[in-house]
Amino acid sequence: ESSAPFGSTLPFQNAVTGEPLDWSMANEEGRDTPAVKEFFKTGHNPYTTIPKNCLTNFENVFLTSCSGCHGHLGEGKIGPGLNDNYWTYPAGKTDVGLFSIIYGGAQAQMGPHSDLELDQILQVMAWVRHLYKDGVADATWLTDDQKKSFKPYDEAADTEVKKTEDPAKCEA
Ligand code: HEM
Ligand code: CA
């Protein structure tokens, strides 16, 4: 159990056992991106506020690693829905908690996803937050400022965004 990246003292713990996460399992790649560094310092995922038209690659991580069990819109399948305001593990309502569930795993088929790069975990988290379809009041991972411009997930609008994707607009 090596210490947390960037000496973070945030409360990362296994969703089921409450044990501190085992950082020795972390993928060697993607550990020191600016986003990872900021996340371990602040506990907020900086990718959450990336413009919607820049999230395509994030969706690919979700489709590769998660949608088989959670559904392609996170609507739930053999694993629970991730796009609503009900959480088996309320920890998922914060970014530190959601990271901990993904990295450390939970029960049954929800194994640890520590094989993903830390940066990819932040990417997939941003995609999960993007898919969130319920009310802003329960979107506790957003700052008060971010809540002001929050819009619940809308599949029709999402398709529109992908058609008009313009990388030039990707600078946050
Ligand atoms: C639970 C995310 C991959 C099966 C969860 C929870 C989250 C999550 C946040 C907790 C939900 C809650 O508290 O309500 C993800 C993400 C994945 C992923 C982001 C990809 C990186 C998978 C895969 C499977 C799976 C590949 C199937 C092999 C499950 C199951 C649960 C669960 C069965 C319920 C576990 C329990 O209640 O303890 N997942 N998951 N997940 N997931 Fe995943
Ligand atoms: Ca849910």
Side-chain angles (χ1 to χ4, degrees), residues 87-129:
W87 295 88
T88 307
Y89 302 98
K93 293 196 270 186
T94 69
D95 286 345
V96 168
L98 181 60
F99 180 97
S100 298
I101 296 167
I102 298 168
Y103 179 93
Q107 303 199 72
Q109 297 97 324
M110 185 60 197
H113 284 83
S114 44
D115 56 313
L116 290 173
E117 298 176 12
L118 298 183
D119 196 81
Q120 287 179 317
I121 296 179
L122 297 182
Q123 294 177 24
V124 94
M125 285 165 59
W127 189 255
V128 167
R129 299 309 194 197

Side-chain angles (χ1 to χ4, degrees), residues 80-87:
L82 304 177
N83 65 345
D84 54 37
N85 61 6
Y86 178 79
W87 295 88

Side-chain angles (χ1 to χ4, degrees), residues 4-5 7 37 42-43 63 68 88 92 95 101 106-107 110 112 125 135 138-139 145 150 163:
K37 197 169 183 177
T42 66
L63 294 178
T88 307
D95 286 345
I101 296 167
Q107 303 199 72
M110 185 60 197
M125 285 165 59
D138 294 312
D145 229 38
F150 171 82
K163 278 186 202 139

